[in-house]
Amino acid sequence: MRLTFTLNGEVVSLDRIAEDLPLLDLLRDTLGLTGTKRGCETGTCGLCSVLVDDALTRACRTPVTKIAGHTVTTIEGMLGPNGELGDLQSAFLEYGAVQCGFCTPAMVLAGEALLRRTLTPSREEIRRAINGILCRCTGYQQIVDAIEATAQHRRDQQKATSGGEGQW
Amino acid sequence: MVSNLRYVGNPALQNVDGADKVSGRARYVCDMVVPGMLVAKVLRSPLPHARIARLDTAPALAVPGVKAVITHADFVDDGNFGWPVKDAYVLAVNKVRHVGEPVAAVAAETEAAAMAGLNAIIVEYEPLPVIGTVDQAMAPEAPLIPEVSPTGKGNLCNSHILRNGDPAPLLTEAPVRFEATYEMPHQEHAYMETEGALAIPEPDGSVTLYANNQSPHINRDIAAQVLGLPTNLVRVIQPPIGGAFGGKDEILYQTSAQAAKLATLAGRPVKLILSRSESMAASYKRQAMRSHIVLGAETDGTLRAAKIDLTVDNGAYASGTPLASWRATMHAAGGYRYAAVHVDMQSVYTNNGYSGAFRGFGNTQASAAVELAIDELAERLGQDPLEYRLRNCLREGDATMTGDLLNQAVGLADCLEWVRDRSEWTKKRADCTAQPEDGLTRRGIGVACYFHGSGLGGEGEDFATATLKIEEDSSITLTSGLTDFGQGSRTVFTLLAAETLGVDIDRIRVLRPDTQTALDSGPTVASRASIVGGNAVRVTSEKVALLLDLAAADHLRCDPQQLIRDGEGYVGPDETPVPFETVVDHAREMGLQLSAQGRWQIRPIEWDFETGTGEPYFCYVFGAQVAEVEVSRRTGRTRVLKIWAAHDAGKILFPKGALGQMYGGIAQGLGFALMENFRFKDGVPQTLSFTQYRLPRATDVPEIEGTYIQTAGAIGPYGAKNLAEPVMIGTAPAIANAFAQATGIRVRGFPLPRVKGWIRRQSKPCPPVLANL
Ligand code: FES
């Protein structure tokens, strides 16, 4: 089949793609985007999570037909225009949320998916938002810290923007 | 000079390779692609114990796309390796001893072709009697699992003893005597990245291996040996590693040698990555361990003596068990004062997979058992379990259970007091006791503590090396043979070099471990990277710092003693700072060579394995944890509400990393207590996926309040001690002890049972016991 979708802000069109090809294989093997990881064969580890539109999605369980015409964001798409780290990524470093790093891409995207829904998540909500992704290194606490701090940071930014408008 | 630390202990410090990882740019071995690369797959035994009656790999070579097939016969000496017991093989020889054991391997153009190749291999097994328990293994007529018994005593793999005084008369006379047996299950490392290697045959006949191993030099030596190559024709490079926890040694030596042989035969690069189910079947586990514990105490609770028998299930191969079981022997009675202790440990071959190193290295299981026992004993004595531990715990000047005199700061009581105060122990304990008997849920709060010997102890020569070079542009390159698999050693090495040289941290780059550039440092195990590896970096940096001082003094025409530092600059009596670069240039003009290598070794300790006496470790770390749990009567489910943890690790070098180690260790301990249980049924593994083997998720792990008690005087760099392993030890028993308060049920093994509709029983002199098997 011919597959057209938006990947990390750019329209991608590919020919002769098998319909049942999992999105994970497309990303890693066809497109060489290896930031998205494979951790199991049963759809349980969540390491392959990416954003399809705004929803956190396991790429290993998503046939490419499902993403035709949609927008996919991988960890590579979380970087700024000049390759600089985004706010959530910086927070992961600042709060010590990265150890071996193998779960980190999925964790960042899980955090992003949550923060697109709400900027006032409780720690309990953050835990639920990353519950589908296993991490064997960190015990999750510093990941929760990083997402919580980014929510605060984005709230402050919002307030600064809207506050600025109010003054004028 | 140590008074004004810029980097050591700085809470703002970040992981030096964190940006690669958080951006998705870090390339793990599974992410690597090279031109002409083949894919390898491994044929593994479906049976726990069988003779290989027939093995014909020729049909695989006829499969289109298959480029190479190997068996044990392709390796020197049948690919036999292993230390301290040389009982392992790269591919099975004559017999398979556990499910998942590799028998043959295929390299092909595509994964599908490799699978077709595997399917074409003709293999016939003659099943042998399966040994699924340690008791079966020790029965007189038990079939022998290893080729030759390393002890000459059937399936006994090895034994250790500890003899400190004579507990027998003390236990007979003791007014209070407690005796019980505990069974700890196997545990899976479950690093998120499975095992993998990429082997590249080079034109000069050498092989380059990228492998996610913990100890690249050991991997290189074994690969060279089984491939029949001189050591200098094998190069092992370690990419970033997606977690290890002790689990990436032997399994990686097998995997790497398989990939390397296939690559040299095919004359093309070969990538071999294990699937999750394959990893769970083929990789080694934490040993299952039985502890039979006898404790004797005075009526006031003062501990007098302990006699402990440990029986360890090491599975089909010895791997790290002879060493881990020694550590278990050295810690089996816990961090308490005793007048006499005997421990007898037997480690036994079975067909239950195989076991080796895992965080805590034997102490996790041994301490869990004794911490459950101490809690039961305190309950029988009618004493508060935390105060009971404080009364008996090791303090400076005491002798440990092995008789080792503690001439060091001992932070154990401080840790216990910290978790007591922070958790509001006394109030919570009383509140839990006062809960209604018939509530839908009941809460409990429990405690456990531990001590842990530092470094390898009697397990081997404990040294590390480092090299440091100032490059032409004054940037600095550092190498260490000890590796980082997520625990932050690269960051620790970087900050130690920056601190010692007095330079900005950005100047320094630690190279990835590569046997061609880094010097051998022994295995990266036992949380020794910070102490031993860190000291090697420190002494190496000091050598270069001394040269720079000479150069600066010469440049400033003063005495080296008159120099002070202003940031990176050097300041002499005339008070004008000279930039670092100028000093480096001047040093070169003087003909000084601005590179050094350094080695640091822990003074050898003296342990007599025959008599079971001596000094097992050069120093110790300590810690305590409190867990609060809630158990539902309807579902029987135990939820951990909060954990308080304190660990005495001397000076903390990299605070963010240290806390991360603590939280991560606690999550693994929580899994051990609540849900992880790698089960075998007659030698057949029952939990080969993450749906069957449950790992703690973010909602399973509670908020953790942790601290490091920074006692002084330790011999690590800037006074550091180790922490990565022992931080997990206290968690599981603390949770089980909390569960006991909530439910009145004393468990004698993990994981905790789910008992629906339990009714809280009043504590009786002999509490009800659920043996978990
Ligand atoms: S950081 Fe290693 S799995 Fe999460």
Side-chain angles (χ1 to χ4, degrees), chain B residues 29-86:
Chain B
V29 65
C30 58
D31 301 329
M32 294 180 172
V33 177
V34 291
M37 189 174 86
L38 301 172
V39 180
K41 289 278 166 199
V42 179
L43 181 74
R44 298 185 182 276
S45 169
L47 298 175
H49 201 193
R51 190 149 297 286
I52 302 171
R54 183 168 172 217
L55 179 61
D56 183 1
T57 54
L61 276 178
V63 172
V66 170
K67 296 293 167 192
V69 186
I70 53 169
T71 67
H72 67 88
D74 291 292
F75 294 94
V76 174
D77 193 17
D78 278 332
N80 184 208
F81 72 97
W83 185 87
V85 180
K86 197 175 174 183

Side-chain angles (χ1 to χ4, degrees), chain A residues 47 97-104 107 134-138 143, chain B residues 192 242-243 245:
Chain A
L47 297 190
V98 181
Q99 286 188 33
C100 84
F102 211 70
C103 71
T104 307
M107 286 292 185
L134 290 171
C135 172
R136 192 55 157 167
C137 300
T138 64
I143 297 175
Chain B
M192 285 298 112
F245 319 114

Side-chain angles (χ1 to χ4, degrees), chain A residues 28 34-42 44-47 75-76 79 82-85 88-90 92-96 98-105 108 123-124 126-128 130-142 144-145, chain B residues 14-15 18-19 21-28 30-31 187-194 241-243 245 275-277 358 485-487 656 659-661 663-665 667-668 676 689-691 693 695-705:
Chain A
R28 285 184 60 85
T34 55
T36 308
K37 301 302 182 201
R38 184 193 304 278
C40 73
E41 298 94 51
T42 47
T44 11
C45 73
L47 297 190
I75 189 67
E76 289 86 356
L79 295 172
N82 302 314
E84 73 275 14
L85 298 180
L88 183 55
Q89 289 168 307
S90 303
F92 266 62
L93 297 185
E94 200 181 317
Y95 286 85
V98 181
Q99 286 188 33
C100 84
F102 211 70
C103 71
T104 307
V108 169
R123 287 180 72 83
E124 206 35 55
I126 296 173
R127 284 182 186 274
R128 279 203 297 276
I130 61 172
N131 211 40
I133 302 161
L134 290 171
C135 172
R136 192 55 157 167
C137 300
T138 64
Y140 304 103
Q141 184 146 318
Q142 288 157 309
V144 176
D145 293 346
Chain B
Q14 299 182 358
N15 199 328
K21 292 170 175 173
V22 81
S23 62
R25 290 193 201 108
R27 268 147 69 79
Y28 300 81
C30 58
D31 301 329
Q187 188 180 22
E188 166 78 21
H189 300 80
Y191 22 73
M192 285 298 112
E193 180 207 29
T194 60
I241 295 187
F245 319 114
S275 72
R276 179 59 63 183
S277 56
F358 192 164
F485 28 93
Q487 83 281 35
K656 241 173 233 164
L659 277 175
Q661 286 299 312
Y663 301 149
Q668 288 179 359
E676 294 182 40
S689 73
F690 288 151
T691 44
Y693 188 88
L695 294 172
R697 291 183 179 269
T699 54
D700 296 316
V701 182
E703 295 290 327
I704 299 162
E705 191 178 335

Side-chain angles (χ1 to χ4, degrees), chain B residues 434-768:
Chain B
Q435 291 170 102
E437 292 297 319
D438 53 355
L440 280 178
T441 58
R442 278 188 61 97
R443 290 189 175 193
I445 188 164
V447 63
C449 64
Y450 56 87
F451 82 125
H452 190 83
S454 282
L456 295 178
E459 296 153 18
E461 193 188 19
D462 214 346
F463 74 99
T465 48
T467 70
L468 189 142
K469 182 173 176 221
I470 303 187
E471 308 288 354
E472 282 304 320
D473 62 355
S474 299
S475 66
I476 297 170
T477 303
L478 180 66
T479 76
S480 165
L482 295 181
T483 62
D484 194 330
F485 28 93
Q487 83 281 35
S489 343
R490 285 188 99 203
T491 308
V492 167
F493 297 156
T494 306
L495 76 90
L496 286 171
E499 191 75 66
T500 310
L501 286 167
V503 298
D504 290 347
I505 201 159
D506 299 335
R507 240 182 230 288
I508 296 171
R509 186 171 135 76
V510 183
L511 297 186
R512 292 235 150 257
D514 175 344
T515 54
Q516 204 149 321
T517 55
L519 302 171
D520 189 8
S521 287
T524 309
V525 296
S527 309
R528 60 193 213 99
S530 288
I531 298 189
V532 188
N535 264 332
V537 168
R538 183 182 53 80
V539 300
T540 309
S541 306
E542 278 168 357
K543 285 186 184 178
V544 176
L546 215 61
L547 296 177
L548 291 171
D549 281 355
L550 283 179
D554 190 65
H555 185 77
L556 292 163
R557 300 182 194 292
C558 67
D559 200 76
Q561 271 81 348
Q562 293 173 283
L563 290 170
I564 52 166
R565 297 293 292 274
D566 174 24
E568 288 194 310
Y570 288 78
V571 185
D574 75 351
E575 308 209 341
T576 330
V578 180
F580 180 74
E581 284 85 350
T582 310
V583 172
V584 169
D585 290 344
H586 188 74
R588 288 198 209 285
E589 282 158 22
M590 290 169 71
L592 296 173
Q593 189 187 333
L594 294 180
S595 65
Q597 75 179 56
R599 177 185 161 107
W600 192 84
Q601 180 161 359
I602 291 177
R603 75 181 153 79
I605 56 93
E606 303 284 333
W607 184 259
D608 185 334
F609 289 86
E610 294 296 314
T611 61
T613 57
E615 182 198 6
Y617 300 101
F618 70 93
C619 88
Y620 297 87
V621 297
F622 307 89
Q625 295 183 13
V626 162
E628 188 181 6
V629 307
E630 184 174 84
V631 188
S632 155
R633 188 188 298 274
R634 194 173 53 78
T635 63
R637 197 167 164 242
T638 302
R639 239 164 50 83
V640 182
L641 302 176
K642 182 147 183 182
I643 287 178
W644 295 263
H647 180 79
D648 162 17
K651 178 76 189 168
I652 294 299
L653 302 173
F654 171 30
K656 241 173 233 164
L659 277 175
Q661 286 299 312
M662 174 184 274
Y663 301 149
I666 286 171
Q668 288 179 359
L670 180 145
F672 193 41
L674 289 188
M675 56 190 83
E676 294 182 40
N677 177 13
F678 199 95
R679 281 179 288 121
F680 294 92
K681 195 169 165 222
D682 296 328
V684 179
Q686 305 291 303
T687 46
L688 293 184
S689 73
F690 288 151
T691 44
Q692 294 157 329
Y693 188 88
R694 276 196 59 220
L695 294 172
R697 291 183 179 269
T699 54
D700 296 316
V701 182
E703 295 290 327
I704 299 162
E705 191 178 335
T707 195
Y708 283 102
I709 306 279
Q710 304 199 33
T711 52
I715 64 159
Y718 299 91
K721 295 199 277 189
N722 55 332
L723 55 93
E725 289 196 284
V727 284
M728 89 169 281
I729 295 173
T731 313
I735 291 172
N737 291 335
F739 175 84
Q741 198 203 9
T743 62
I745 298 170
R746 284 282 174 191
V747 296
R748 290 185 174 167
F750 299 136
L752 297 183
R754 275 196 184 200
V755 189
K756 289 185 193 171
W758 49 267
I759 295 166
R760 159 93 195 169
R761 277 164 272 215
Q762 288 298 333
S763 287
K764 303 205 178 86
C766 183

Side-chain angles (χ1 to χ4, degrees), chain B residues 291-487:
Chain B
S291 307
H292 180 80
I293 298 178
V294 187
L295 299 173
E298 305 291 352
T299 33
D300 68 357
T302 307
L303 285 168
R304 295 289 293 147
K307 176 163 176 19
I308 298 176
D309 288 284
L310 302 177
T311 314
V312 171
D313 177 355
N314 68 257
Y317 295 99
S319 182
T321 300
L323 308 178
S325 61
W326 181 75
R327 182 171 284 272
T329 309
M330 295 302 109
H331 293 85
Y336 303 101
R337 273 187 309 274
Y338 296 96
V341 178
H342 280 189
V343 182
D344 290 82
M345 191 294 304
Q346 295 201 312
S347 169
V348 177
Y349 285 109
T350 69
N351 296 117
N352 293 332
Y354 75 117
S355 288
F358 192 164
R359 201 177 201 158
F361 208 52
N363 191 14
T364 306
Q365 306 94 301
S367 280
V370 77
E371 283 302 303
L372 298 185
I374 289 285
D375 223 64
E376 284 192 61
L377 176 58
E379 184 175 12
R380 281 197 194 181
L381 289 160
Q383 296 198 20
D384 176 274
L386 201 151
E387 297 304 327
Y388 185 70
R389 285 174 170 82
L390 271 172
R391 167 198 288 268
N392 285 290
C393 75
L394 291 170
R395 291 165 193 265
E396 192 167 349
D398 286 344
T400 68
M401 56 166 275
T402 65
D404 200 4
L405 214 57
L406 290 170
N407 297 318
Q408 62 164 102
V410 176
L412 183 50
D414 296 336
C415 288
L416 278 164
E417 284 163 7
W418 192 91
V419 292
R420 178 190 65 193
D421 298 345
R422 281 308 176 114
S423 67
E424 300 180 60
W425 168 270
T426 316
K427 178 178 177 303
K428 287 216 171 92
R429 189 88 191 159
D431 288 352
C432 291
T433 311
Q435 291 170 102
E437 292 297 319
D438 53 355
L440 280 178
T441 58
R442 278 188 61 97
R443 290 189 175 193
I445 188 164
V447 63
C449 64
Y450 56 87
F451 82 125
H452 190 83
S454 282
L456 295 178
E459 296 153 18
E461 193 188 19
D462 214 346
F463 74 99
T465 48
T467 70
L468 189 142
K469 182 173 176 221
I470 303 187
E471 308 288 354
E472 282 304 320
D473 62 355
S474 299
S475 66
I476 297 170
T477 303
L478 180 66
T479 76
S480 165
L482 295 181
T483 62
D484 194 330
F485 28 93
Q487 83 281 35

